[in-house]
Amino acid sequence: MINKGTLFFLCSCIVLLQSVAQTDFNRYQPLCSKGAVPKDFSNSTLSKIKQDNREDLKSLNGRKREFFVEQINYSIDEILHSGNVTFGDTISKYLQGLGDRLIAGEEDLRGKLRFYVYNSTEANAFSTRQGIVFVTTGLIAQLTSEAQLAFVLSHEIIHYQEHHVLDLFEYATKEKFYSYNEKARFLSNYSRENELEADRLAVKMVHDAGYKSSEINKTFDVLLYSYLPFEEMKLDAVYFNTDEMYVPEMYFRFKRNEISAKFKYNDYLMSHPNLAKRKEQVTDQVSKFKDWEKELLYEDSLQFFYIRDISRFEYVLNKVYSEEPVEALYAIYILEKKYPESEFLRNYKSQAWLDIMKASIKKETALYTSFSSLNRKRVKYYEGQISILNQFITVLPKAGKLTMGLRIIYDSYHVDTTNVIARKCYETAIHLLVKSDDFERSKFSTKNFSQTLAYLHELKQDTSSKSKLHAVEWDKYAVIENQSKGMTEDFGIDSTKFYMYGISDIIRDSSFTKTFRKFSDKKSVLDKDKDEFNLMTDVEQLNLEYFKYDEEIHLKMDSVLLFQPAIFETTNSSEIDVFKTFKTRDLVFKEIYDNASDLNIHVESLSLKNLEMLGAEDWNNYSMLQRSLTRAISDYENDYFVLDVVDLNRVKTKFGTEKLLFLEYQHTYAPDLYFGNVALFTVLLPVGLVYFPIAILSGHYSDWQFYVLDLKTGELVLDRSYYVNEPASKHNIGSRLNGMFHQLKQAKNEY
């Protein structure tokens, strides 16, 4: 029995914790690493391979054992070093504490398991042979209780405890003479058995930790619907309405697309059994334990919801960085219900609308049109309440998207005009308006929706004015002009063009006018250049395009921040050769420093070459740049992504250089030698004496990709690729890098 004093204390604690959480989320900062760097991060892959005791691999023969150790350690380090994994952060600490609680009764597991959060919108969790358990923010964002998370962790702990990763590898490598379909059948069946075993044993672990049985099976509901947003919340009909913008309710009457997910589906050839089978088995297993009376402490549940909110904010971050604005905006809508004053949500909402505005702009040149057609994203089909938001955005005409975006970004900026990101979003929105052919300031009303309604009502109430209105006969051109401005023939408002009345205050704002004029002047210069280009002959156009292509690499670069290069040595079967990869990586590093030094280019480095020297701040900068580069490379029109502007300038100041260099290099040795032609040219020996050396020497494929990111603007200023038939030798790598640095060193018009 809880007395009144205890109850009051608990309520006070709850209010206090909620207040702290509210303050934190109003000033939310993305997840970052803190404290001492764990050995999982600071030890090199080669040292991990060397120190692997291999005691659990006795069933594998020598070569399989070495291959497994190399690949498993390399693969896990790729995840740890992806920029998506943090250490010492709030979520990872929470996961570690929860994991330790679950294995409290397992003496053989104590001190062996490490838990980290993996920042991704995917709902997933996985364990490794090394004793690392990863849980994605996307999964935590979807869960509804700590008991469900405990079941997920228990499931992964069992996978580790029962050596399921090794079992699957061993089984797969034994069955080498089966056909592909036979292997797929056997492996999927084998994997499904492991999954069911992990579910069975996880029930006991959750039971022993004191959680409610009723929550366990709800985990499968979460997994089934995890492709949907983390909440199913109806979109308010007045959500977009402000004092200046009114959106008619008709835009929220779309039919919601039905949710189609089903528990019972064909799991043939799938690695996991269908959720109906898993749920049925767990229900049976739960019934075997009769003492489910233990209750979880309320403080733990409160901490879970705090952790879940962090994961949901990270969900927004990941959706915006991956340029999925509809998902981001719906998640922001949900979170704003709880955190309406969050600066983070305002900034990310503005960037999401910038992406919508950018996507609405017509590509103006044939070059960009053909490029975009090759890279056009597949139209996504949405289910549930988010489909209403998607349909609303989809039906808006280009001018409507531009206007809605401007309205929201303008309002966000004026909440706090000192916010650098908000100001940059606002300026970028104006730039997009100027670039578009669908935005004409003169067509927008100088009165907002309410003011226009009142004005028209007043006119209609005035008998003399009313007679004058009806006395006017509009010709075709007057009708078209008025309709383009959102007015009907009877002096009403065309509700489909509501946005024409939504920015009356903005177009009268002197700061807007000044910025709009500045970008318009720049556009006039570009338009003049385009007109001159269109008057050129085909040969002249090709020469000019080649000149611009050749000129863009000359950046007058005296210093550069070298970001971790992506170096891969692959076999003809596309497998990573781990030791050759690290050997080539060391060679590339050496040649970068040597060639840059010869040309007096100062190189700062943010790489994983000396892992033991990196601190938490280095890992945070690394993660931020990894995220920023990924977005920049995936979006060839990266001028409009501004969320990184503050962090990039901080990195620029720290390292004292405005440019970041990132390169990818993949070398594959795959000579054109197979049984048929080897046998043929062995018989035809004179021809073979010529063929074999050529096949061996020409079997090298080197793929180079160079990127330069401007840390001041966040713009990707160089994207250059080379594909050549040459070995990964010191001479070839050095020559390629020397040529690149030589061009980067030059200023435009100096060659």
Side-chain angles (χ1 to χ4, degrees), residues 535-553:
L535 292 173
M536 293 179 182
T537 65
D538 290 346
V539 173
E540 288 173 332
Q541 288 181 351
L542 286 172
N543 288 338
L544 182 59
E545 290 292 341
Y546 178 79
F547 173 77
K548 288 181 178 179
Y549 175 82
D550 192 49
E551 188 182 49
E552 71 177 8
I553 200 171

Side-chain angles (χ1 to χ4, degrees), residues 209-273:
Y211 288 96
K212 295 179 181 178
S213 60
S214 58
E215 290 296 316
I216 296 178
N217 264 341
K218 291 180 182 177
T219 311
F220 299 111
D221 298 330
V222 171
L223 296 177
L224 178 66
Y225 300 112
S226 63
Y227 69 96
L228 298 170
F230 47 74
E231 294 286 359
E232 184 69 3
M233 188 177 291
K234 186 177 180 180
L235 195 66
D236 292 338
V238 296
Y239 176 58
F240 293 108
N241 291 352
T242 67
D243 291 340
E244 297 295 332
M245 174 70 77
Y246 170 74
V247 181
E249 289 190 17
M250 58 180 279
Y251 283 97
F252 299 89
R253 294 174 187 160
F254 297 105
K255 183 179 180 182
R256 176 179 61 87
N257 293 335
E258 294 298 321
I259 296 171
S260 61
K262 296 178 181 178
F263 274 103
K264 292 184 178 181
Y265 51 84
N266 188 354
D267 57 9
Y268 178 69
L269 297 184
M270 289 186 176
S271 61
H272 287 53

Side-chain angles (χ1 to χ4, degrees), residues 4 63 95 214 260 332 357:
K4 292 182 179 179
R63 179 53 200 147
L95 291 173
S214 58
S260 61
I332 290 169
M357 292 171 72

Side-chain angles (χ1 to χ4, degrees), residues 321-387:
Y321 270 89
S322 59
E323 203 174 351
E324 298 177 274
V326 175
E327 290 95 325
L329 289 173
Y330 187 73
I332 290 169
Y333 165 73
I334 294 168
L335 289 169
E336 280 180 335
K337 296 287 187 182
K338 189 173 182 180
Y339 305 107
E341 305 300 322
S342 173
E343 180 181 84
F344 175 93
L345 295 178
R346 286 199 305 271
N347 286 343
Y348 277 71
K349 183 198 290 186
S350 293
Q351 180 61 63
W353 274 101
L354 281 179
D355 287 337
I356 290 171
M357 292 171 72
K358 185 195 72 174
S360 72
I361 294 177
K362 180 181 179 181
K363 303 297 184 293
E364 298 181 3
T365 66
L367 174 64
Y368 282 110
T369 301
S370 61
F371 185 84
S372 65
S373 65
L374 293 173
N375 293 275
R376 189 177 295 120
K377 292 184 178 180
R378 187 176 179 182
V379 177
K380 188 170 182 179
Y381 179 78
Y382 294 96
E383 297 177 359
Q385 292 295 335
I386 192 176
S387 66

Side-chain angles (χ1 to χ4, degrees), residues 50 141 197 201 379 416 448 523 612 630 648 654 661 743:
K50 190 175 182 179
E197 181 182 19
L201 298 178
V379 177
D416 179 9
N448 65 29
K523 185 175 184 291
E612 68 281 356
T630 301
L648 289 177
K654 175 180 173 62
L661 172 65
Q743 294 177 87

Side-chain angles (χ1 to χ4, degrees), residues 276-292:
K277 292 177 183 177
R278 294 179 68 183
K279 199 169 185 177
E280 181 181 351
Q281 178 196 241
V282 166
T283 300
D284 180 63
Q285 193 69 15
V286 165
S287 66
K288 295 178 181 179
F289 296 90
K290 304 301 180 183
D291 54 338
W292 288 96

